[in-house]
Amino acid sequence: MRCRLIATTPTDFEVHLFHEGSLYKSYELFGAHVINENGITGTRFCVWAPHAREVRLVGNFNDWNGSDHSLVKVSEQGVWTIFVPENLEGHLYKYEIVTKNGDVLLKADPYAFYSELRPQTASIVYSLEGYEWNDKAWQRKKLRKPIYQQPMFIYELHFGTWKKKNDGSFYTYQELADELIPYILEHGFTHIELLPLVEHPLDRSWGYQGTGYYSVTSRYGTPHDFMAFVDRCHQAGIGVILDWVPGHFCKDAHGLYLFDGEPTYEYVNFQDRENFVWGTANFDLGKREVHSFLISNALFWMEYFHIDGFRVDAVANMLYWPNSDVRQPNPYAVEFLQKLNEVVFAHDPSVLMIAEDSTDWPRVTSPTYEGGLGFNYKWNMGWMNDILTYMEAAPEYRKSLHHKVTFSLLYAYSENFILPFSHDEVVHGKKSLLNKMPGDYEQKFAQLRLLYAYLVTHPGKKLLFMGGEFGQFDEWKDLEQLDWMLLDFEMHRKMDEYVKELMKFYKRYKALYELDHSPEGFEWIDVHNAEQSIFSFIRKGTKENDLLIVVCNFTPVVYHDYKIGVPLHTTYKEAFNSDAITFGGSGHINKKALAAREEPFHGKPYHVQMTIPPFGISVLRPIRKREERTDDGKEKVHRHVIGRRSR
């Protein structure tokens, strides 16, 4: 273990900053650190326990007897420390806390860098130093090419149930890198989003109820193993986003809950403290020491694990006081979130701070100096709920739900949105995305292809939960891997290939992502055709005439010679059709180029006539002709794609 050159006792300034809520690298003060001072190598332990009468260090190095290892209280607000003149690397430990009432609690270290494999709960002395990173090219690219005008399609996954070994055991971080990275590259996703990897007690959970915020879970290996996983993702050009839960935490006895016998990390008031929905405790976001703990935690994952961003869970649960009949904003949460985002972006302006917020709180992705919360992305939960409600309805009833599709464009540019088909939509009896679709077997696949293409062509970045790419038919199962055997069936295999082709199509055309967050990037052609449930619109890039025409049909009816208004007097070619036979469709495609006719339609100066596929989407790109002379004096005609990226 590499020794850190830090003092054997905390400095007064460090302690002051911690209590002030501005010690943003509090993990360098608290926890267990092997250090060297004046030629003496030892291990310093430091913990915050403001209500404790006494704190003792216990571990396998002292037979779990702390009588000779009492910590010294160095601040009136409850910072305790001890220096043990031994290198305790790899040893197990806990804090034995004597409460004001004389009760004795055994607590894991809130700042532990590594923890025992469940069901054991001790902390482990571990150094995070020494890993040699090889992702400089990735880091330079992030700063050189901000994500806002780049394609972003996130693959959300849970490590424990994405894929398992034949004996049912977990893959390690290193083994997952071998399996997952080629899979992500093959499918074309730009980022992965990992459900929480903080240490947590229950295998069957997603990890949202954490006990060790500074411990990457030991289920899959060591912290250095996880560093290697992220490093390999970056070297392959894949961003890594971590689900992060600063709103509430697990109530298991060894964790943060009533840490020193009284509310410490959580609110004092019972109604504010208890999260009855999830059986957890809410962080006291008005407490400055909690600010230091949580903001440091975000920087910790960025500094030591090179995490590219955080999907901040349950923002709505923080913004409004819980367990209240009145929807009352929580000013402590607002201040905390603004402060968090300011500190994180000062540390790394390329980071992704994504709010999972189901409310209509204004300016979530606006800068804090404009009164915003300071995130740079927000999940568009309204769009997700509306489009799934629409898709689950029988086709004959969709005309009465037309507004479910159109409404999102009224607010699409009020925030920087990510369009999520996440884990939350495929559990608790909600059914998988494929099984939500009405109709027979083939119609389910057709509508899922339509839904995915609509996702790709709608303004906003994208997210898909694991299994959706090949049409997982069952919802998420907590003890099993994805149903990989479905790839033995033709329609699921074709769905998988469809997603790969859709991803290539998405990345190929700048009109689909360059102006995701600007109203100049979208224009309706026909928004009123509720009777036929057909929608048509234009997606635009930054360059003039860099555009795509998108036509969606949410019914099983085929239309031939269907008129669509277009803005340019040119020829159009079908760039993508979800009904192609190779995708499992019925083959109602537009093989020939479509010449625009000089007759206004849909408020546009020209129109084309085309085939509209059943339960399908067709995307047209304009082409133009350029004439030039050949050597023999004859004219030669070249066709050029407008808006297509050179390869």
Side-chain angles (χ1 to χ4, degrees):
M1 175 182 270
R2 184 179 298 178
C3 298
R4 296 189 66 115
L5 298 176
I6 54 179
T8 55
T9 57
T11 67
D12 291 342
F13 186 58
E14 286 177 313
V15 172
H16 167 75
L17 290 178
F18 173 69
H19 292 308
E20 185 184 69
S22 55
L23 187 64
Y24 299 138
K25 292 191 176 183
S26 60
Y27 48 85
E28 294 180 350
L29 169 62
F30 293 95
H33 298 273
V34 175
I35 62 175
N36 186 292
E37 186 174 88
N38 299 324
I40 300 175
T41 297
T43 309
R44 188 188 77 181
F45 297 83
C46 190
V47 67
W48 178 53
H51 309 104
R53 181 194 300 175
E54 186 179 357
V55 180
R56 297 186 286 260
L57 178 68
V58 298
N60 59 0
F61 50 87
N62 64 6
D63 294 325
W64 301 94
N65 184 337
S67 57
D68 294 329
H69 290 87
S70 292
L71 278 71
V72 176
K73 190 175 182 180
V74 296
S75 84
E76 288 301 316
Q77 297 96 332
V79 175
W80 302 74
T81 188
I82 186 174
F83 177 74
V84 180
E86 299 177 56
N87 184 337
L88 296 179
E89 176 189 1
H91 283 278
L92 307 179
Y93 72 100
K94 282 188 177 181
Y95 294 115
E96 189 176 66
I97 296 176
V98 181
T99 71
K100 287 181 179 178
N101 296 329
D103 297 326
V104 178
L105 307 175
L106 274 179
K107 291 287 188 175
D109 187 348
Y111 284 88
F113 295 153
Y114 193 34
S115 301
E116 260 192 307
L117 183 64
R118 84 290 175 249
Q120 306 305 316
T121 58
S123 302
I124 301 174
V125 180
Y126 189 92
S127 173
L128 297 173
E129 308 299 324
Y131 183 80
E132 298 294 333
W133 286 86
N134 297 287
D135 65 348
K136 288 183 180 178
W138 169 261
Q139 301 296 347
R140 287 195 298 268
K141 177 186 174 184
K142 281 199 306 178
L143 291 171
R144 189 174 69 251
K145 291 187 174 182
I147 199 64
Y148 306 104
Q149 291 188 329
Q150 301 298 318
M152 182 165 72
F153 205 129
I154 303 165
Y155 186 71
E156 185 190 41
L157 74 144
H158 177 244
F159 260 17
T161 53
W162 181 71
K163 186 178 284 189
K164 291 188 175 183
K165 297 180 181 179
N166 291 335
D167 62 0
S169 61
F170 295 134
Y171 281 91
T172 66
Y173 291 117
Q174 297 277 32
E175 291 168 339
L176 275 165
D178 295 336
E179 293 283 327
L180 183 61
I181 291 173
Y183 188 83
I184 296 299
L185 293 176
E186 180 184 5
H187 285 77
F189 293 98
T190 63
H191 294 70
I192 57 173
E193 181 179 314
L194 306 173
L195 271 62
L197 289 177
V198 300
E199 196 57 81
H200 56 280
L202 185 63
D203 284 353
R204 298 181 69 174
S205 80
W206 275 330
Y208 287 96
Q209 299 187 11
T211 52
Y213 272 65
Y214 289 81
S215 290
V216 63
T217 180
S218 55
R219 285 171 175 78
Y220 317 116
T222 70
H224 280 87
D225 291 336
F226 183 59
M227 292 177 196
F229 171 86
V230 176
D231 198 6
R232 289 179 60 185
C233 287
H234 286 172
Q235 291 175 54
I238 302 166
V240 181
I241 301 166
L242 191 65
D243 265 20
W244 188 58
V245 191
H248 62 111
F249 57 87
C250 181
K251 291 170 64 174
D252 280 39
H254 67 284
L256 299 178
Y257 188 64
L258 301 177
F259 185 74
D260 54 12
E262 297 184 34
T264 304
Y265 290 87
E266 60 272 68
Y267 290 106
V268 173
N269 183 281
F270 178 79
Q271 282 296 107
D272 299 333
R273 176 173 72 241
E274 297 300 313
N275 195 310
F276 298 114
V277 175
W278 295 313
T280 54
N282 295 313
F283 276 109
D284 183 346
L285 299 177
K287 201 170 288 181
R288 298 300 164 177
E289 293 86 354
V290 173
H291 284 204
S292 289
F293 176 79
L294 289 172
I295 295 174
S296 293
N297 189 243
L299 295 186
F300 168 81
W301 287 101
M302 294 164 65
E303 179 177 347
Y304 280 107
F305 297 99
H306 290 203
I307 292 299
D308 300 296
F310 301 92
R311 178 268 201 181
V312 181
D313 180 66
V315 169
N317 185 69
M318 292 186 277
L319 287 175
Y320 294 96
W321 285 107
N323 311 319
S324 173
D325 295 333
V326 181
R327 199 180 183 199
Q328 184 178 358
N330 181 345
Y332 301 128
V334 174
E335 180 193 0
F336 165 75
L337 291 171
Q338 290 176 325
K339 184 177 175 182
L340 165 72
N341 287 318
E342 287 172 355
V343 172
V344 165
F345 282 114
H347 181 80
D348 180 1
S350 72
V351 72
L352 296 167
M353 292 298 289
I354 305 165
E356 189 256 331
D357 175 30
S358 57
T359 74
D360 57 358
W361 190 280
R363 299 189 297 278
V364 171
T365 58
S366 293
T368 58
Y369 58 77
E370 293 181 358
L373 293 182
F375 291 93
N376 57 356
Y377 277 100
K378 173 182 173 174
W379 273 17
N380 195 335
M381 311 288 279
W383 173 87
M384 178 271 299
N385 284 315
D386 282 349
I387 193 63
L388 290 182
T389 298
Y390 183 82
M391 294 302 298
E392 288 184 85
E396 60 268 27
Y397 297 118
R398 286 176 179 166
K399 58 186 176 183
S400 65
L401 297 172
H402 196 74
H403 62 285
K404 293 289 186 182
V405 179
T406 62
F407 181 62
S408 63
L409 272 302
L410 296 179
Y411 63 88
Y413 304 105
S414 62
E415 305 279 5
N416 294 340
F417 281 122
I418 291 174
L419 311 177
F421 289 140
S422 74
H423 62 279
D424 281 327
E425 305 317 308
V426 294
V427 291
H428 308 314
K430 294 181 182 179
K431 300 187 288 189
S432 70
L433 290 178
L434 178 64
N435 205 15
K436 290 178 193 286
M437 304 298 108
D440 61 27
Y441 183 74
E442 292 187 351
Q443 287 178 332
K444 284 181 178 292
F445 281 95
Q447 289 172 93
L448 189 61
R449 292 194 302 270
L450 167 59
L451 179 63
Y452 287 167
Y454 179 66
L455 165 71
V456 161
T457 56
H458 190 287
K461 307 307 181 186
K462 332 293 178 185
L463 177 142
L464 181 65
F465 185 56
M466 64 182 196
E469 69 276 15
F470 60 79
Q472 173 88 5
F473 203 85
D474 289 340
E475 40 174 63
W476 178 75
K477 292 168 281 194
D478 56 2
L479 291 176
E480 300 176 33
Q481 65 176 352
L482 294 178
D483 293 332
W484 295 106
M485 74 288 187
L486 290 176
L487 289 170
D488 294 333
F489 296 88
E490 181 183 17
M491 290 300 288
H492 292 276
R493 191 166 58 250
K494 287 185 174 182
M495 175 60 73
D496 193 55
E497 291 301 317
Y498 172 78
V499 169
K500 295 176 188 176
E501 290 302 313
L502 183 62
M503 204 74 67
K504 292 175 186 176
F505 168 69
Y506 168 56
K507 292 179 177 179
R508 185 177 298 137
Y509 293 98
K510 292 184 178 182
L512 293 175
Y513 56 79
E514 225 174 18
L515 294 176
D516 266 331
H517 312 307
S518 171
E520 287 76 24
F522 181 92
E523 181 183 347
W524 283 111
I525 296 174
D526 183 11
V527 70
H528 301 297
N529 192 351
E531 191 61 33
Q532 292 176 300
S533 297
I534 292 177
F535 301 83
S536 53
F537 53 89
I538 305 172
R539 287 302 308 276
K540 302 176 185 179
T542 56
K543 294 182 179 179
E544 186 179 3
N545 297 335
D546 185 358
L547 58 86
L548 295 171
I549 307 294
V550 182
V551 186
C552 307
N553 178 12
F554 289 93
T555 72
V557 180
V558 182
Y559 296 95
H560 298 286
D561 297 322
Y562 191 96
K563 293 173 69 172
I564 293 288
V566 293
L568 302 177
H569 188 217
T570 186
T571 303
Y572 294 80
K573 186 171 183 179
E574 192 168 69
F576 192 84
N577 190 316
S578 65
D579 196 45
I581 291 175
T582 54
F583 300 147
S586 58
H588 289 90
I589 63 175
N590 295 276
K591 292 182 180 180
K592 297 180 180 180
L594 306 171
R597 302 183 183 186
E598 293 190 68
E599 178 187 335
F601 200 70
H602 287 146
K604 301 294 182 284
Y606 317 102
H607 76 270
V608 296
Q609 290 182 258
M610 61 183 295
T611 295
I612 308 294
F615 286 139
I617 187 169
S618 174
V619 184
L620 308 179
R621 58 177 172 83
I623 57 178
R624 61 182 171 86
K625 297 178 181 180
R626 175 170 58 84
E627 296 180 349
E628 62 182 37
R629 297 287 176 178
T630 62
D631 292 339
D632 60 3
K634 295 181 179 180
E635 289 182 344
K636 183 179 180 182
V637 177
H638 295 267
R639 293 184 182 271
H640 292 268
V641 178
I642 295 177
R644 187 166 182 173
R645 298 172 65 183
S646 59
R647 296 184 180 180

